[in-house]
Amino acid sequence: MQDDYLLLNGNIISMDDRDSRFEAMAVKNGRIHSVGSNADMEPLVKEGWPVTDLEGRTVLPGFIDSHQHLGLTGQVLNGIDFLGVKTLETVFEKIREAGKTAEPGRWVLGYTLNDTSLKEKRLPLKEELDAVCADNPVMIVHSSWHLCALNSLALEILDPPADLAGMDLGPDNKPTGLVRDPGAPDFVFPAVSTLTPFEVKMASFRKACEAAMKQGITTLHCLEGGGFGPGDTRLVLENRDRFPLNLVLWNQVMDIEETLELGLPRIGGCICADGAIDAYTAALFEPYLDQPNNCGTLNFTQAQMDEFILAAHKAGLQVAIHCETDRAIEQVLSAMEKAIAAFPREDHRHRIEHCEIPNRGQLERMGRAGIMAGMQPAFIHYLVDMDDYELRFGADRLRWMHPYRTMLDCGVVMCGGSDCPVTPHGPLLGIQTAVLHPIAEERLTPLEAIRMFTIDAAYSAFDEANRGSIEPGKIADLVVLSKDPTKVAPEAIRDIKIVKTIVEGKPVDDARDGPAA
């Protein structure tokens, strides 16, 4: 395709506020010149504009992943992926093979291991990792990114303090190799990140961008910096022209001064008010049913959260905070409400990230306050075992898991993400999961689910005037699909092929040929 061209004979779903559909569109200098029928484009055809025949294929605005971690995704793409592994024996085989080819001293890194999917229902201990790879440091990161397993050499190199919070100790009072919240994100992950050379990081960042584009994604919200990648926010910001798609950068720290100095309008992301459901550290008002003495972990006092959110809001920043369950949601929602009342700002678009098990009253308050929900529908597909979750929460609380329909009813605007590498980039899978929610009352229509990954995701970055819908004047970020996700059976949405990803009017040559994993 050239800079100016026509797309004819298509099914163009605009995602505008009228849910308009068109047959044809014109792209000029990376922006949408016009939309309409084939007949409307005839004058441009006569002028000699190049034509691409869509042959009935569907065009959507390019997908936006509003919550993912570029640095962590790059790490995973360069490491061992344990997604779908069912036994520790397979884990050990993969570690052993990686150790055979690793240079001396090079870290062997594995990711996306979910203990609830393993036959043994646990992560490996340091002695087990030592038995298969003793000469290289080993770190295995849990799928939640709130828990990890280390071998003895890794522990020796990192030298964690003896009283590191979240470090499991055995009967001999020595580390077992398992580290959970807050020690994993606050100590282990940043320490390993600082050992990664600049060019290795840059190559992995670009690899993550390329993987996203193969899924039809044209904008990534990059939640960088903080404990998960110290210094990565500045690194990405200073090298934005080296990345092949649009990046929305979140500074994942509580340093307001640094964020303003970087010239960023937003702060936060996975600033973790609580931990993770899978690690039993998500903060609850009532205890986990299968751990009756455990209500999870709040990582900040109410005073600390109030102070941070008030200062960030007063400075004009958009704020996003990680809250998985009701007690953490209450802490952050309360802090946001106080800040908005003290310094009214009608269009703040603050976000609560994950918001996996809120209560109805919290959603009503979010709607009234204009607080958005950053949701990851793929969590349900990859991480949620409904039987297991019912054992943890009971049926009454589980009823409010990922309550998409209720959120819409309460006026909460949702944006869709993957939290990659927690789950892979894949908006079509996210859309399908929202449409086929295991709780029927919370299901969305296909168009409602698509909005989460297009226009509402653009809105969440104050970018709806430029992206998120197919309208004249907007940037031509597009995805061409083999089928219409609003017309196929819901269970077939994830199998729709990405025919072409187009970023600022230019096609991405290596868009994937097959369905999402």
Side-chain angles (χ1 to χ4, degrees):
M1 292 181 187
Q2 301 179 11
D3 289 342
D4 303 343
Y5 56 87
L6 301 172
L7 300 175
L8 304 182
N9 300 314
N11 171 38
I12 298 169
I13 305 176
S14 70
M15 299 308 300
D16 64 13
D17 56 9
R18 300 173 302 281
D19 290 333
S20 304
R21 294 191 182 225
F22 302 101
E23 186 180 27
M25 64 184 295
V27 174
K28 182 177 180 64
N29 295 328
R31 288 189 177 264
I32 299 165
H33 174 271
S34 55
V35 293
S37 66
N38 286 342
D40 293 331
M41 303 300 153
E42 193 59 33
L44 299 179
V45 174
K46 290 178 179 177
E47 287 181 19
W49 282 44
V51 172
T52 295
D53 186 348
L54 291 171
E55 299 178 340
R57 295 186 180 98
T58 293
V59 181
L60 284 173
F63 293 129
I64 299 170
D65 190 320
S66 63
H67 185 122
Q68 62 88 59
H69 306 274
L70 198 65
L72 301 185
T73 300
Q75 288 181 37
V76 172
L77 291 172
N78 287 327
I80 305 168
D81 188 357
F82 290 115
L83 185 67
V85 167
K86 300 299 183 185
T87 68
L88 282 176
E89 182 181 353
T90 304
V91 172
F92 298 144
E93 288 174 1
K94 288 177 176 285
I95 293 291
R96 183 184 293 108
E97 288 303 309
K100 288 179 181 177
T101 58
E103 298 174 9
R106 179 63 62 89
W107 282 74
V108 173
L109 302 173
Y111 302 93
T112 328
L113 184 61
N114 188 349
D115 56 326
T116 63
S117 298
L118 295 175
K119 179 180 71 175
E120 297 84 356
K121 302 296 182 184
R122 65 175 179 85
L123 294 187
L125 302 176
K126 68 178 181 182
E127 293 82 5
E128 294 172 311
L129 295 175
D130 293 345
V132 295
C133 187
D135 298 329
N136 294 81
V138 175
M139 177 177 73
I140 297 176
V141 179
H142 188 267
S143 57
S144 68
W145 279 86
H146 290 262
L147 175 65
C148 65
L150 305 167
N151 72 347
S152 294
L153 185 54
L155 284 167
E156 181 182 332
I157 292 169
L158 297 177
D159 191 23
D163 60 350
L164 178 66
M167 184 166 67
D168 285 6
L169 302 177
D172 58 0
N173 210 35
K174 293 182 180 180
T176 66
L178 300 183
V179 185
R180 60 191 77 239
D181 286 309
D186 290 351
F187 179 84
V188 176
F189 300 152
V192 174
S193 178
T194 57
L195 299 173
T196 306
F198 168 80
E199 284 303 333
V200 172
K201 281 194 173 186
M202 287 301 299
S204 68
F205 289 171
R206 186 173 180 91
K207 192 171 183 179
C209 289
E210 291 168 350
M213 290 190 297
K214 290 180 179 180
Q215 301 297 323
I217 295 168
T218 57
T219 292
L220 289 173
H221 285 220
C222 301
L223 285 55
E224 310 301 327
F228 289 108
D232 283 359
T233 306
R234 187 179 297 273
L235 188 155
V236 173
L237 183 64
E238 292 177 349
N239 294 276
R240 290 181 85 149
D241 59 350
R242 296 176 62 176
F243 300 114
L245 76 173
N246 180 49
L247 301 182
V248 174
L249 191 57
W250 288 83
N251 196 22
Q252 198 167 246
V253 300
M254 300 180 86
D255 189 335
I256 295 168
E257 185 176 332
E258 177 194 82
T259 304
L260 295 173
E261 182 266 322
L262 289 171
L264 295 174
R266 58 188 64 86
I267 191 169
C270 279
I271 293 174
C272 295
D274 64 349
I277 290 172
D278 285 346
Y280 284 89
T281 52
L284 302 167
F285 284 124
E286 300 177 22
Y288 293 91
L289 291 183
D290 54 345
Q291 292 191 8
N293 295 318
N294 180 14
C295 286
T297 305
L298 281 176
N299 295 324
F300 301 93
T301 66
Q302 186 68 56
Q304 289 172 321
M305 190 59 71
D306 287 350
E307 181 182 5
F308 166 67
I309 289 178
L310 177 63
H313 175 81
K314 187 177 178 182
L317 295 171
Q318 182 186 14
V319 181
I321 306 289
H322 162 123
C323 307
E324 293 214 353
T325 43
D326 53 10
R327 190 156 60 111
I329 293 167
E330 185 61 33
Q331 182 187 77
V332 171
L333 174 57
S334 173
M336 288 181 173
E337 288 172 325
K338 293 172 193 172
I340 294 165
F343 295 93
R345 202 171 101 215
E346 197 164 312
D347 200 19
H348 50 78
R349 305 190 198 183
H350 297 325
R351 291 174 24 179
I352 291 179
E353 303 300 295
H354 309 312
C355 206
E356 291 189 66
I357 305 182
N359 61 50
R360 171 91 192 200
Q362 290 171 337
L363 298 181
E364 291 172 350
R365 289 159 56 198
M366 288 173 65
R368 288 195 296 269
I371 295 167
M372 300 187 65
M375 304 306 295
Q376 298 76 42
F379 280 11
I380 298 174
H381 175 83
Y382 285 109
L383 305 179
V384 174
D385 180 315
M386 292 296 285
D387 292 336
D388 176 66
Y389 269 44
E390 186 162 351
L391 292 175
R392 297 183 192 209
F393 300 111
D396 289 345
R397 279 189 289 178
L398 189 57
R399 160 65 184 84
W400 295 103
M401 181 191 72
H402 289 248
Y404 302 141
R405 172 60 55 196
T406 303
M407 286 181 172
L408 287 187
D409 291 345
C410 291
V412 177
V413 179
M414 298 177 291
C415 51
S418 63
D419 204 11
C420 195
V422 175
T423 68
H425 294 129
L428 287 172
L429 175 61
I431 291 163
Q432 174 176 307
T433 305
V435 172
L436 292 175
H437 197 299
I439 300 166
E441 296 92 335
E442 298 300 343
R443 290 175 179 170
L444 298 180
T445 68
L447 274 178
E448 289 168 338
I450 292 168
R451 286 187 64 92
M452 293 173 67
F453 292 91
T454 55
I455 188 62
D456 287 350
Y459 174 85
S460 79
F462 293 86
D463 201 26
E464 71 274 16
N466 289 307
R467 293 180 169 87
S469 64
I470 300 174
E471 300 180 80
K474 288 196 171 185
I475 293 168
D477 284 353
L478 310 167
V479 58
V480 182
L481 305 177
S482 63
K483 295 181 180 178
D484 183 343
T486 71
K487 298 290 179 63
V488 301
E491 58 272 14
I493 293 173
R494 65 176 295 197
D495 295 322
I496 295 172
K497 294 181 180 179
I498 304 292
V499 177
K500 186 64 66 177
T501 304
I502 298 172
V503 178
E504 295 185 3
K506 297 188 180 298
V508 177
D509 292 335
D510 59 350
R512 65 176 171 84
D513 296 319

